[in-house]
Amino acid sequence: MPPLSFPQLYDAHGRPLEYLRLAVTDRCNLRCFYCMPEEGITYLPKHELLSYEEMLRLVGVMTQLGVRKVRLTGGEPFVRRDLVPFMERLAALPGLSDISLTTNGVLTAPHVPALARLGIKAVNLSLDTLDRQRFFEITRRDELPQVLRTLHALLEAGIQLKINAVVMDGRNIQDLVPLAELSRELPVDVRFIEEMPFNGGSHIATPESLPWNHRRIRQHLEAHLGELAPVPMPVGATASEYTIAGHRGSVGIIAAYSRTFCGSCNRLRLTAEGGIKTCLYDQGVLDLRALLRNGATDNDLAEALAQAFYHRAANGFEAERLRPVHQLNFESMATIGG
Ligand code: SAM
Ligand code: SF4
């Protein structure tokens, strides 16, 4: 079949489609309390997950609509078998210039040479504390040493490393400065994320009631580390980035719940079961798996995606308001991919 030819896709608010976050699984080997309950998780049956074949086909269509960058996420991407061979096939798709990945780092270290070989530009490593006991309390697993092994392996391989830390009142505030201190000697970008009330029994009701919002995180870091000097944000970025005098790396703050960055959002999310979210806060706007499995052509898929993207909410607040089930708490970030 000849390749599709569509113009670059824009939504009704003038934002281009450039970036796909692809959740390759809903399964995980950690149980971060802000993301998943400890017990009683019902994972999707295997046949309800998209196959790699189906993912490759969908990404192929999306590149025709403007997607240039794909980030693999989950659940934990490395829990899915044969991830690296899948990444090899993804890297061979025409039109993609950037493949990256978000991982909890537990199973990642042995795969780092393969990631480097594949030309993976950047890895986001989730790490909320450098303290082993608090790591256990937050993730309900004793895996900090494995995660640190991954951190060092990534640095040695020369892969650009971003550390993602969720800021949790009463849980890891004492860790923010030690985590930011990693950027003093190491070429890492340490990013602090506002906690969002997705699954895990959060009591945060509104952005106004968030104890640690982006402003307070910045004040806290500045009180201990000196001035955070802003670096201009590239279009589409979610993190406000800063340099600190004397630090080799940088720090970032992601106002994930305050949602200050929606105006330049250029992304789509494809969930492990083949749902499309045009905003982190919507409840899913298109069932691509159903279309795929009912014989849709690439052209049908592209049309459906174009419609969904065009009609996306103006921002995360509107998307949240439009959800049929309002509470974010019913959904796990492990099915969304962060
Ligand atoms: N398992 C991988 C990991 O942890 O890096 C990838 C998936 S995880 C859902 C992606 C990102 O979402 C992680 O950096 C995680 O910290 C973040 N995340 C999960 N739940 C969150 C929440 N309730 N608020 C803020 N960030 C959250
Ligand atoms: Fe797993 Fe990542 Fe969710 Fe933690 S944040 S439970 S590592 S998917």
Side-chain angles (χ1 to χ4, degrees):
M1 202 197 292
L4 297 170
S5 176
F6 282 89
Q8 162 73 50
L9 198 56
Y10 286 86
D11 69 17
H13 311 282
R15 298 169 297 189
L17 169 64
E18 291 169 334
Y19 174 19
L20 170 69
R21 295 182 66 98
L22 171 58
V24 295
T25 180
D26 62 337
R27 291 159 168 73
C28 191
N29 47 358
L30 297 183
R31 290 288 177 279
C32 304
F33 80 91
Y34 49 74
C35 179
M36 280 196 185
E38 183 164 18
E39 310 267 350
I41 299 160
T42 325
Y43 285 137
L44 295 166
K46 215 169 155 211
H47 68 272
E48 289 189 17
L49 296 176
L50 289 183
S51 67
Y52 283 145
E53 217 57 59
E54 288 172 324
M55 289 181 207
L56 286 165
R57 180 165 168 217
L58 291 176
V59 177
V61 171
M62 290 179 195
T63 59
Q64 301 299 319
L65 298 170
V67 167
R68 296 285 164 265
K69 171 178 172 179
V70 175
R71 171 173 297 280
L72 303 184
T73 174
E76 172 49 35
F78 283 102
V79 165
R80 184 142 182 184
R81 200 177 302 157
D82 295 330
L83 184 75
V84 170
F86 167 65
M87 291 177 80
E88 278 163 10
R89 296 177 67 195
L90 197 60
L93 282 182
L96 282 185
S97 55
D98 187 339
I99 299 175
S100 56
L101 133 104
T102 299
T103 175
N104 63 30
V106 173
L107 301 171
T108 315
H111 301 290
V112 168
L115 298 181
R117 220 176 28 250
L118 270 169
I120 299 306
K121 287 206 173 129
V123 170
N124 288 6
L125 181 66
S126 301
L127 179 59
D128 303 323
T129 175
L130 296 170
D131 178 89
R132 193 163 174 174
Q133 177 60 26
R134 276 196 295 284
F135 184 95
F136 178 74
E137 286 161 10
I138 292 167
T139 67
R140 304 176 176 121
R141 299 288 185 273
D142 182 23
E143 299 282 10
L144 180 63
Q146 304 310 322
V147 179
L148 294 180
R149 217 153 62 85
T150 294
L151 189 155
H152 292 295
L154 288 165
L155 287 171
E156 274 160 32
I159 295 177
Q160 192 197 331
L161 176 59
K162 294 183 182 177
I163 292 175
N164 284 346
V166 179
V167 178
M168 295 160 274
D169 191 43
R171 293 277 195 158
N172 71 342
I173 301 308
Q174 61 275 61
D175 296 298
L176 306 192
V177 172
L179 284 165
E181 280 287 359
L182 291 174
S183 70
R184 189 181 290 277
E185 304 292 342
L186 300 174
V188 295
D189 181 21
V190 184
R191 299 160 1 136
F192 298 96
I193 309 176
E194 286 180 352
E195 184 182 356
M196 296 174 273
F198 284 95
N199 212 344
S202 169
H203 298 298
I204 306 162
T206 61
E208 293 70 38
S209 62
L210 181 66
W212 285 85
N213 65 14
H214 60 107
R215 280 182 289 274
R216 188 168 177 203
I217 297 168
R218 181 173 177 183
Q219 280 162 8
H220 178 82
L221 295 175
E222 289 196 314
H224 291 84
L225 297 165
E227 190 196 352
L228 267 58
V231 176
M233 270 170 100
V235 177
T238 52
S240 299
E241 292 291 342
Y242 305 92
T243 53
I244 303 175
H247 284 228
R248 197 169 161 206
S250 53
V251 297
I253 300 176
I254 303 182
Y257 195 36
S258 303
R259 290 162 261 186
T260 53
F261 43 68
C262 301
S264 66
C265 177
N266 58 0
R267 62 197 62 192
L268 269 185
R269 290 176 165 81
L270 178 57
T271 67
E273 58 189 316
I276 284 287
K277 287 165 80 82
T278 54
C279 172
L280 174 58
Y281 286 87
D282 74 39
Q283 210 176 307
V285 295
L286 175 66
D287 183 354
L288 274 185
R289 188 189 64 198
L291 285 180
L292 262 177
R293 294 187 184 175
N294 285 317
T297 63
D298 284 1
N299 207 53
D300 297 334
L301 295 168
E303 290 289 353
L305 276 163
Q307 282 297 324
F309 192 74
Y310 184 77
H311 292 291
R312 70 207 282 242
N315 56 46
F317 295 100
E318 184 179 305
E320 186 179 352
R321 244 187 348 265
L322 293 171
R323 289 169 72 100
V325 178
H326 288 286
Q327 289 96 325
L328 303 174
N329 232 333
F330 290 150
E331 202 172 9
S332 166
M333 200 64 94
T335 62
I336 308 172

mmCIF file with all atom_site columns, all heavy atoms in Angstrom, residues 182-204:
data_model
loop_
_atom_site.group_PDB
_atom_site.id
_atom_site.type_symbol
_atom_site.label_atom_id
_atom_site.label_alt_id
_atom_site.label_comp_id
_atom_site.label_asym_id
_atom_site.label_entity_id
_atom_site.label_seq_id
_atom_site.pdbx_PDB_ins_code
_atom_site.Cartn_x
_atom_site.Cartn_y
_atom_site.Cartn_z
_atom_site.occupancy
_atom_site.B_iso_or_equiv
_atom_site.pdbx_formal_charge
_atom_site.auth_seq_id
_atom_site.auth_comp_id
_atom_site.auth_asym_id
_atom_site.auth_atom_id
_atom_site.pdbx_PDB_model_num
ATOM 1   N N   . LEU A 1 182 ? 22.218 15.714 43.257 1.00 0.00 ? 182 LEU A N   1
ATOM 2   C CA  . LEU A 1 182 ? 22.831 14.826 42.253 1.00 0.00 ? 182 LEU A CA  1
ATOM 3   C C   . LEU A 1 182 ? 23.311 15.633 41.050 1.00 0.00 ? 182 LEU A C   1
ATOM 4   O O   . LEU A 1 182 ? 24.273 15.261 40.375 1.00 0.00 ? 182 LEU A O   1
ATOM 5   C CB  . LEU A 1 182 ? 21.827 13.767 41.776 1.00 0.00 ? 182 LEU A CB  1
ATOM 6   C CG  . LEU A 1 182 ? 21.411 12.681 42.770 1.00 0.00 ? 182 LEU A CG  1
ATOM 7   C CD1 . LEU A 1 182 ? 20.296 11.821 42.165 1.00 0.00 ? 182 LEU A CD1 1
ATOM 8   C CD2 . LEU A 1 182 ? 22.610 11.793 43.126 1.00 0.00 ? 182 LEU A CD2 1
ATOM 9   N N   . SER A 1 183 ? 22.611 16.745 40.787 1.00 0.00 ? 183 SER A N   1
ATOM 10  C CA  . SER A 1 183 ? 22.956 17.547 39.608 1.00 0.00 ? 183 SER A CA  1
ATOM 11  C C   . SER A 1 183 ? 24.221 18.384 39.829 1.00 0.00 ? 183 SER A C   1
ATOM 12  O O   . SER A 1 183 ? 24.720 19.007 38.895 1.00 0.00 ? 183 SER A O   1
ATOM 13  C CB  . SER A 1 183 ? 21.791 18.462 39.229 1.00 0.00 ? 183 SER A CB  1
ATOM 14  O OG  . SER A 1 183 ? 21.651 19.487 40.203 1.00 0.00 ? 183 SER A OG  1
ATOM 15  N N   . ARG A 1 184 ? 24.734 18.395 41.052 1.00 0.00 ? 184 ARG A N   1
ATOM 16  C CA  . ARG A 1 184 ? 25.945 19.187 41.301 1.00 0.00 ? 184 ARG A CA  1
ATOM 17  C C   . ARG A 1 184 ? 27.133 18.581 40.544 1.00 0.00 ? 184 ARG A C   1
ATOM 18  O O   . ARG A 1 184 ? 27.840 19.278 39.818 1.00 0.00 ? 184 ARG A O   1
ATOM 19  C CB  . ARG A 1 184 ? 26.248 19.258 42.800 1.00 0.00 ? 184 ARG A CB  1
ATOM 20  C CG  . ARG A 1 184 ? 27.350 20.242 43.139 1.00 0.00 ? 184 ARG A CG  1
ATOM 21  C CD  . ARG A 1 184 ? 27.643 20.263 44.623 1.00 0.00 ? 184 ARG A CD  1
ATOM 22  N NE  . ARG A 1 184 ? 26.588 20.847 45.432 1.00 0.00 ? 184 ARG A NE  1
ATOM 23  C CZ  . ARG A 1 184 ? 26.412 22.155 45.641 1.00 0.00 ? 184 ARG A CZ  1
ATOM 24  N NH1 . ARG A 1 184 ? 27.247 23.016 45.095 1.00 0.00 ? 184 ARG A NH1 1
ATOM 25  N NH2 . ARG A 1 184 ? 25.431 22.589 46.402 1.00 0.00 ? 184 ARG A NH2 1
ATOM 26  N N   . GLU A 1 185 ? 27.324 17.279 40.686 1.00 0.00 ? 185 GLU A N   1
ATOM 27  C CA  . GLU A 1 185 ? 28.490 16.623 40.072 1.00 0.00 ? 185 GLU A CA  1
ATOM 28  C C   . GLU A 1 185 ? 28.140 15.871 38.791 1.00 0.00 ? 185 GLU A C   1
ATOM 29  O O   . GLU A 1 185 ? 29.016 15.589 37.986 1.00 0.00 ? 185 GLU A O   1
ATOM 30  C CB  . GLU A 1 185 ? 29.108 15.613 41.052 1.00 0.00 ? 185 GLU A CB  1
ATOM 31  C CG  . GLU A 1 185 ? 29.520 16.194 42.404 1.00 0.00 ? 185 GLU A CG  1
ATOM 32  C CD  . GLU A 1 185 ? 30.684 17.158 42.292 1.00 0.00 ? 185 GLU A CD  1
ATOM 33  O OE1 . GLU A 1 185 ? 31.385 17.139 41.274 1.00 0.00 ? 185 GLU A OE1 1
ATOM 34  O OE2 . GLU A 1 185 ? 30.859 17.974 43.241 1.00 0.00 ? 185 GLU A OE2 1
ATOM 35  N N   . LEU A 1 186 ? 26.867 15.480 38.652 1.00 0.00 ? 186 LEU A N   1
ATOM 36  C CA  . LEU A 1 186 ? 26.508 14.597 37.535 1.00 0.00 ? 186 LEU A CA  1
ATOM 37  C C   . LEU A 1 186 ? 25.759 15.371 36.441 1.00 0.00 ? 186 LEU A C   1
ATOM 38  O O   . LEU A 1 186 ? 24.995 16.300 36.757 1.00 0.00 ? 186 LEU A O   1
ATOM 39  C CB  . LEU A 1 186 ? 25.609 13.456 38.031 1.00 0.00 ? 186 LEU A CB  1
ATOM 40  C CG  . LEU A 1 186 ? 26.199 12.536 39.110 1.00 0.00 ? 186 LEU A CG  1
ATOM 41  C CD1 . LEU A 1 186 ? 25.151 11.538 39.609 1.00 0.00 ? 186 LEU A CD1 1
ATOM 42  C CD2 . LEU A 1 186 ? 27.416 11.788 38.548 1.00 0.00 ? 186 LEU A CD2 1
ATOM 43  N N   . PRO A 1 187 ? 25.903 14.947 35.188 1.00 0.00 ? 187 PRO A N   1
ATOM 44  C CA  . PRO A 1 187 ? 25.206 15.646 34.094 1.00 0.00 ? 187 PRO A CA  1
ATOM 45  C C   . PRO A 1 187 ? 23.751 15.179 33.989 1.00 0.00 ? 187 PRO A C   1
ATOM 46  O O   . PRO A 1 187 ? 23.329 14.635 32.963 1.00 0.00 ? 187 PRO A O   1
ATOM 47  C CB  . PRO A 1 187 ? 26.017 15.225 32.861 1.00 0.00 ? 187 PRO A CB  1
ATOM 48  C CG  . PRO A 1 187 ? 26.544 13.864 33.208 1.00 0.00 ? 187 PRO A CG  1
ATOM 49  C CD  . PRO A 1 187 ? 26.769 13.853 34.703 1.00 0.00 ? 187 PRO A CD  1
ATOM 50  N N   . VAL A 1 188 ? 22.995 15.350 35.056 1.00 0.00 ? 188 VAL A N   1
ATOM 51  C CA  . VAL A 1 188 ? 21.605 14.885 35.056 1.00 0.00 ? 188 VAL A CA  1
ATOM 52  C C   . VAL A 1 188 ? 20.660 16.059 35.247 1.00 0.00 ? 188 VAL A C   1
ATOM 53  O O   . VAL A 1 188 ? 21.034 17.092 35.802 1.00 0.00 ? 188 VAL A O   1
ATOM 54  C CB  . VAL A 1 188 ? 21.318 13.862 36.195 1.00 0.00 ? 188 VAL A CB  1
ATOM 55  C CG1 . VAL A 1 188 ? 22.086 12.593 35.999 1.00 0.00 ? 188 VAL A CG1 1
ATOM 56  C CG2 . VAL A 1 188 ? 21.603 14.463 37.567 1.00 0.00 ? 188 VAL A CG2 1
ATOM 57  N N   . ASP A 1 189 ? 19.440 15.845 34.770 1.00 0.00 ? 189 ASP A N   1
ATOM 58  C CA  . ASP A 1 189 ? 18.384 16.825 34.988 1.00 0.00 ? 189 ASP A CA  1
ATOM 59  C C   . ASP A 1 189 ? 17.430 16.196 36.006 1.00 0.00 ? 189 ASP A C   1
ATOM 60  O O   . ASP A 1 189 ? 16.807 15.173 35.710 1.00 0.00 ? 189 ASP A O   1
ATOM 61  C CB  . ASP A 1 189 ? 17.674 17.086 33.649 1.00 0.00 ? 189 ASP A CB  1
ATOM 62  C CG  . ASP A 1 189 ? 16.580 18.121 33.770 1.00 0.00 ? 189 ASP A CG  1
ATOM 63  O OD1 . ASP A 1 189 ? 16.608 18.910 34.735 1.00 0.00 ? 189 ASP A OD1 1
ATOM 64  O OD2 . ASP A 1 189 ? 15.698 18.145 32.885 1.00 0.00 ? 189 ASP A OD2 1
ATOM 65  N N   . VAL A 1 190 ? 17.365 16.766 37.186 1.00 0.00 ? 190 VAL A N   1
ATOM 66  C CA  . VAL A 1 190 ? 16.519 16.193 38.244 1.00 0.00 ? 190 VAL A CA  1
ATOM 67  C C   . VAL A 1 190 ? 15.207 16.965 38.256 1.00 0.00 ? 190 VAL A C   1
ATOM 68  O O   . VAL A 1 190 ? 15.191 18.164 38.520 1.00 0.00 ? 190 VAL A O   1
ATOM 69  C CB  . VAL A 1 190 ? 17.206 16.286 39.619 1.00 0.00 ? 190 VAL A CB  1
ATOM 70  C CG1 . VAL A 1 190 ? 16.346 15.598 40.679 1.00 0.00 ? 190 VAL A CG1 1
ATOM 71  C CG2 . VAL A 1 190 ? 18.596 15.665 39.576 1.00 0.00 ? 190 VAL A CG2 1
ATOM 72  N N   . ARG A 1 191 ? 14.117 16.267 37.959 1.00 0.00 ? 191 ARG A N   1
ATOM 73  C CA  . ARG A 1 191 ? 12.835 16.962 37.779 1.00 0.00 ? 191 ARG A CA  1
ATOM 74  C C   . ARG A 1 191 ? 11.847 16.565 38.875 1.00 0.00 ? 191 ARG A C   1
ATOM 75  O O   . ARG A 1 191 ? 11.663 15.385 39.154 1.00 0.00 ? 191 ARG A O   1
ATOM 76  C CB  . ARG A 1 191 ? 12.258 16.635 36.409 1.00 0.00 ? 191 ARG A CB  1
ATOM 77  C CG  . ARG A 1 191 ? 13.229 17.115 35.348 1.00 0.00 ? 191 ARG A CG  1
ATOM 78  C CD  . ARG A 1 191 ? 13.107 16.511 34.003 1.00 0.00 ? 191 ARG A CD  1
ATOM 79  N NE  . ARG A 1 191 ? 12.102 15.550 33.795 1.00 0.00 ? 191 ARG A NE  1
ATOM 80  C CZ  . ARG A 1 191 ? 11.306 15.526 32.723 1.00 0.00 ? 191 ARG A CZ  1
ATOM 81  N NH1 . ARG A 1 191 ? 11.419 16.460 31.817 1.00 0.00 ? 191 ARG A NH1 1
ATOM 82  N NH2 . ARG A 1 191 ? 10.442 14.577 32.555 1.00 0.00 ? 191 ARG A NH2 1
ATOM 83  N N   . PHE A 1 192 ? 11.235 17.570 39.451 1.00 0.00 ? 192 PHE A N   1
ATOM 84  C CA  . PHE A 1 192 ? 10.294 17.345 40.547 1.00 0.00 ? 192 PHE A CA  1
ATOM 85  C C   . PHE A 1 192 ? 8.879  17.520 40.001 1.00 0.00 ? 192 PHE A C   1
ATOM 86  O O   . PHE A 1 192 ? 8.568  18.542 39.376 1.00 0.00 ? 192 PHE A O   1
ATOM 87  C CB  . PHE A 1 192 ? 10.588 18.316 41.687 1.00 0.00 ? 192 PHE A CB  1
ATOM 88  C CG  . PHE A 1 192 ? 11.967 18.093 42.257 1.00 0.00 ? 192 PHE A CG  1
ATOM 89  C CD1 . PHE A 1 192 ? 13.054 18.858 41.823 1.00 0.00 ? 192 PHE A CD1 1
ATOM 90  C CD2 . PHE A 1 192 ? 12.196 17.069 43.166 1.00 0.00 ? 192 PHE A CD2 1
ATOM 91  C CE1 . PHE A 1 192 ? 14.336 18.623 42.306 1.00 0.00 ? 192 PHE A CE1 1
ATOM 92  C CE2 . PHE A 1 192 ? 13.477 16.823 43.661 1.00 0.00 ? 192 PHE A CE2 1
ATOM 93  C CZ  . PHE A 1 192 ? 14.545 17.591 43.226 1.00 0.00 ? 192 PHE A CZ  1
ATOM 94  N N   . ILE A 1 193 ? 8.048  16.510 40.243 1.00 0.00 ? 193 ILE A N   1
ATOM 95  C CA  . ILE A 1 193 ? 6.696  16.487 39.662 1.00 0.00 ? 193 ILE A CA  1
ATOM 96  C C   . ILE A 1 193 ? 5.661  16.694 40.760 1.00 0.00 ? 193 ILE A C   1
ATOM 97  O O   . ILE A 1 193 ? 5.703  16.013 41.794 1.00 0.00 ? 193 ILE A O   1
ATOM 98  C CB  . ILE A 1 193 ? 6.419  15.116 38.992 1.00 0.00 ? 193 ILE A CB  1
ATOM 99  C CG1 . ILE A 1 193 ? 7.537  14.735 38.023 1.00 0.00 ? 193 ILE A CG1 1
ATOM 100 C CG2 . ILE A 1 193 ? 5.075  15.112 38.288 1.00 0.00 ? 193 ILE A CG2 1
ATOM 101 C CD1 . ILE A 1 193 ? 7.369  13.344 37.403 1.00 0.00 ? 193 ILE A CD1 1
ATOM 102 N N   . GLU A 1 194 ? 4.749  17.613 40.537 1.00 0.00 ? 194 GLU A N   1
ATOM 103 C CA  . GLU A 1 194 ? 3.621  17.736 41.470 1.00 0.00 ? 194 GLU A CA  1
ATOM 104 C C   . GLU A 1 194 ? 2.868  16.420 41.509 1.00 0.00 ? 194 GLU A C   1
ATOM 105 O O   . GLU A 1 194 ? 2.605  15.809 40.459 1.00 0.00 ? 194 GLU A O   1
ATOM 106 C CB  . GLU A 1 194 ? 2.642  18.816 40.981 1.00 0.00 ? 194 GLU A CB  1
ATOM 107 C CG  . GLU A 1 194 ? 3.107  20.231 41.148 1.00 0.00 ? 194 GLU A CG  1
ATOM 108 C CD  . GLU A 1 194 ? 2.075  21.247 40.632 1.00 0.00 ? 194 GLU A CD  1
ATOM 109 O OE1 . GLU A 1 194 ? 1.064  20.836 40.017 1.00 0.00 ? 194 GLU A OE1 1
ATOM 110 O OE2 . GLU A 1 194 ? 2.298  22.439 40.822 1.00 0.00 ? 194 GLU A OE2 1
ATOM 111 N N   . GLU A 1 195 ? 2.469  16.013 42.702 1.00 0.00 ? 195 GLU A N   1
ATOM 112 C CA  . GLU A 1 195 ? 1.680  14.779 42.822 1.00 0.00 ? 195 GLU A CA  1
ATOM 113 C C   . GLU A 1 195 ? 0.278  15.016 42.274 1.00 0.00 ? 195 GLU A C   1
ATOM 114 O O   . GLU A 1 195 ? -0.344 16.036 42.540 1.00 0.00 ? 195 GLU A O   1
ATOM 115 C CB  . GLU A 1 195 ? 1.595  14.353 44.297 1.00 0.00 ? 195 GLU A CB  1
ATOM 116 C CG  . GLU A 1 195 ? 0.879  13.027 44.441 1.00 0.00 ? 195 GLU A CG  1
ATOM 117 C CD  . GLU A 1 195 ? 0.711  12.569 45.890 1.00 0.00 ? 195 GLU A CD  1
ATOM 118 O OE1 . GLU A 1 195 ? 1.225  13.245 46.797 1.00 0.00 ? 195 GLU A OE1 1
ATOM 119 O OE2 . GLU A 1 195 ? 0.054  11.535 46.092 1.00 0.00 ? 195 GLU A OE2 1
ATOM 120 N N   . MET A 1 196 ? -0.195 14.066 41.504 1.00 0.00 ? 196 MET A N   1
ATOM 121 C CA  . MET A 1 196 ? -1.561 14.146 40.967 1.00 0.00 ? 196 MET A CA  1
ATOM 122 C C   . MET A 1 196 ? -2.412 13.080 41.641 1.00 0.00 ? 196 MET A C   1
ATOM 123 O O   . MET A 1 196 ? -1.917 12.003 41.950 1.00 0.00 ? 196 MET A O   1
ATOM 124 C CB  . MET A 1 196 ? -1.549 13.902 39.455 1.00 0.00 ? 196 MET A CB  1
ATOM 125 C CG  . MET A 1 196 ? -0.808 14.945 38.667 1.00 0.00 ? 196 MET A CG  1
ATOM 126 S SD  . MET A 1 196 ? -0.684 14.480 36.920 1.00 0.00 ? 196 MET A SD  1
ATOM 127 C CE  . MET A 1 196 ? 0.794  13.488 36.916 1.00 0.00 ? 196 MET A CE  1
ATOM 128 N N   . PRO A 1 197 ? -3.696 13.353 41.819 1.00 0.00 ? 197 PRO A N   1
ATOM 129 C CA  . PRO A 1 197 ? -4.538 12.400 42.557 1.00 0.00 ? 197 PRO A CA  1
ATOM 130 C C   . PRO A 1 197 ? -5.041 11.241 41.695 1.00 0.00 ? 197 PRO A C   1
ATOM 131 O O   . PRO A 1 197 ? -6.221 10.941 41.686 1.00 0.00 ? 197 PRO A O   1
ATOM 132 C CB  . PRO A 1 197 ? -5.684 13.277 43.060 1.00 0.00 ? 197 PRO A CB  1
ATOM 133 C CG  . PRO A 1 197 ? -5.784 14.354 42.055 1.00 0.00 ? 197 PRO A CG  1
ATOM 134 C CD  . PRO A 1 197 ? -4.408 14.602 41.530 1.00 0.00 ? 197 PRO A CD  1
ATOM 135 N N   . PHE A 1 198 ? -4.150 10.615 40.937 1.00 0.00 ? 198 PHE A N   1
ATOM 136 C CA  . PHE A 1 198 ? -4.543 9.415  40.210 1.00 0.00 ? 198 PHE A CA  1
ATOM 137 C C   . PHE A 1 198 ? -4.318 8.230  41.142 1.00 0.00 ? 198 PHE A C   1
ATOM 138 O O   . PHE A 1 198 ? -3.295 8.170  41.826 1.00 0.00 ? 198 PHE A O   1
ATOM 139 C CB  . PHE A 1 198 ? -3.700 9.247  38.941 1.00 0.00 ? 198 PHE A CB  1
ATOM 140 C CG  . PHE A 1 198 ? -4.104 10.177 37.839 1.00 0.00 ? 198 PHE A CG  1
ATOM 141 C CD1 . PHE A 1 198 ? -3.450 11.377 37.658 1.00 0.00 ? 198 PHE A CD1 1
ATOM 142 C CD2 . PHE A 1 198 ? -5.139 9.856  37.002 1.00 0.00 ? 198 PHE A CD2 1
ATOM 143 C CE1 . PHE A 1 198 ? -3.814 12.250 36.642 1.00 0.00 ? 198 PHE A CE1 1
ATOM 144 C CE2 . PHE A 1 198 ? -5.521 10.720 35.982 1.00 0.00 ? 198 PHE A CE2 1
ATOM 145 C CZ  . PHE A 1 198 ? -4.854 11.916 35.804 1.00 0.00 ? 198 PHE A CZ  1
ATOM 146 N N   . ASN A 1 199 ? -5.228 7.302  41.122 1.00 0.00 ? 199 ASN A N   1
ATOM 147 C CA  . ASN A 1 199 ? -5.177 6.053  41.892 1.00 0.00 ? 199 ASN A CA  1
ATOM 148 C C   . ASN A 1 199 ? -4.213 6.052  43.086 1.00 0.00 ? 199 ASN A C   1
ATOM 149 O O   . ASN A 1 199 ? -3.194 6.674  43.059 1.00 0.00 ? 199 ASN A O   1
ATOM 150 C CB  . ASN A 1 199 ? -4.774 4.903  40.967 1.00 0.00 ? 199 ASN A CB  1
ATOM 151 C CG  . ASN A 1 199 ? -5.433 3.625  41.434 1.00 0.00 ? 199 ASN A CG  1
ATOM 152 O OD1 . ASN A 1 199 ? -5.916 3.549  42.544 1.00 0.00 ? 199 ASN A OD1 1
ATOM 153 N ND2 . ASN A 1 199 ? -5.455 2.646  40.583 1.00 0.00 ? 199 ASN A ND2 1
ATOM 154 N N   . GLY A 1 200 ? -4.522 5.329  44.093 1.00 0.00 ? 200 GLY A N   1
ATOM 155 C CA  . GLY A 1 200 ? -3.617 5.236  45.221 1.00 0.00 ? 200 GLY A CA  1
ATOM 156 C C   . GLY A 1 200 ? -4.132 5.963  46.448 1.00 0.00 ? 200 GLY A C   1
ATOM 157 O O   . GLY A 1 200 ? -3.381 6.195  47.385 1.00 0.00 ? 200 GLY A O   1
ATOM 158 N N   . GLY A 1 201 ? -5.394 6.337  46.443 1.00 0.00 ? 201 GLY A N   1
ATOM 159 C CA  . GLY A 1 201 ? -5.999 6.871  47.659 1.00 0.00 ? 201 GLY A CA  1
ATOM 160 C C   . GLY A 1 201 ? -5.532 8.261  48.045 1.00 0.00 ? 201 GLY A C   1
ATOM 161 O O   . GLY A 1 201 ? -5.458 8.594  49.221 1.00 0.00 ? 201 GLY A O   1
ATOM 162 N N   . SER A 1 202 ? -5.192 9.081  47.062 1.00 0.00 ? 202 SER A N   1
ATOM 163 C CA  . SER A 1 202 ? -4.751 10.436 47.374 1.00 0.00 ? 202 SER A CA  1
ATOM 164 C C   . SER A 1 202 ? -5.902 11.259 47.967 1.00 0.00 ? 202 SER A C   1
ATOM 165 O O   . SER A 1 202 ? -7.054 11.084 47.600 1.00 0.00 ? 202 SER A O   1
ATOM 166 C CB  . SER A 1 202 ? -4.248 11.107 46.105 1.00 0.00 ? 202 SER A CB  1
ATOM 167 O OG  . SER A 1 202 ? -4.070 12.465 46.342 1.00 0.00 ? 202 SER A OG  1
ATOM 168 N N   . HIS A 1 203 ? -5.559 12.168 48.882 1.00 0.00 ? 203 HIS A N   1
ATOM 169 C CA  . HIS A 1 203 ? -6.600 13.023 49.462 1.00 0.00 ? 203 HIS A CA  1
ATOM 170 C C   . HIS A 1 203 ? -6.577 14.420 48.844 1.00 0.00 ? 203 HIS A C   1
ATOM 171 O O   . HIS A 1 203 ? -7.271 15.312 49.305 1.00 0.00 ? 203 HIS A O   1
ATOM 172 C CB  . HIS A 1 203 ? -6.404 13.123 50.980 1.00 0.00 ? 203 HIS A CB  1
ATOM 173 C CG  . HIS A 1 203 ? -6.537 11.777 51.637 1.00 0.00 ? 203 HIS A CG  1
ATOM 174 N ND1 . HIS A 1 203 ? -7.697 11.057 51.591 1.00 0.00 ? 203 HIS A ND1 1
ATOM 175 C CD2 . HIS A 1 203 ? -5.652 11.020 52.312 1.00 0.00 ? 203 HIS A CD2 1
ATOM 176 C CE1 . HIS A 1 203 ? -7.530 9.900  52.222 1.00 0.00 ? 203 HIS A CE1 1
ATOM 177 N NE2 . HIS A 1 203 ? -6.284 9.861  52.664 1.00 0.00 ? 203 HIS A NE2 1
ATOM 178 N N   . ILE A 1 204 ? -5.775 14.576 47.823 1.00 0.00 ? 204 ILE A N   1
ATOM 179 C CA  . ILE A 1 204 ? -5.689 15.911 47.214 1.00 0.00 ? 204 ILE A CA  1
ATOM 180 C C   . ILE A 1 204 ? -6.924 16.110 46.332 1.00 0.00 ? 204 ILE A C   1
ATOM 181 O O   . ILE A 1 204 ? -7.158 15.334 45.410 1.00 0.00 ? 204 ILE A O   1
ATOM 182 C CB  . ILE A 1 204 ? -4.438 16.016 46.324 1.00 0.00 ? 204 ILE A CB  1
ATOM 183 C CG1 . ILE A 1 204 ? -3.190 15.630 47.112 1.00 0.00 ? 204 ILE A CG1 1
ATOM 184 C CG2 . ILE A 1 204 ? -4.292 17.402 45.757 1.00 0.00 ? 204 ILE A CG2 1
ATOM 185 C CD1 . ILE A 1 204 ? -2.023 15.298 46.216 1.00 0.00 ? 204 ILE A CD1 1
#
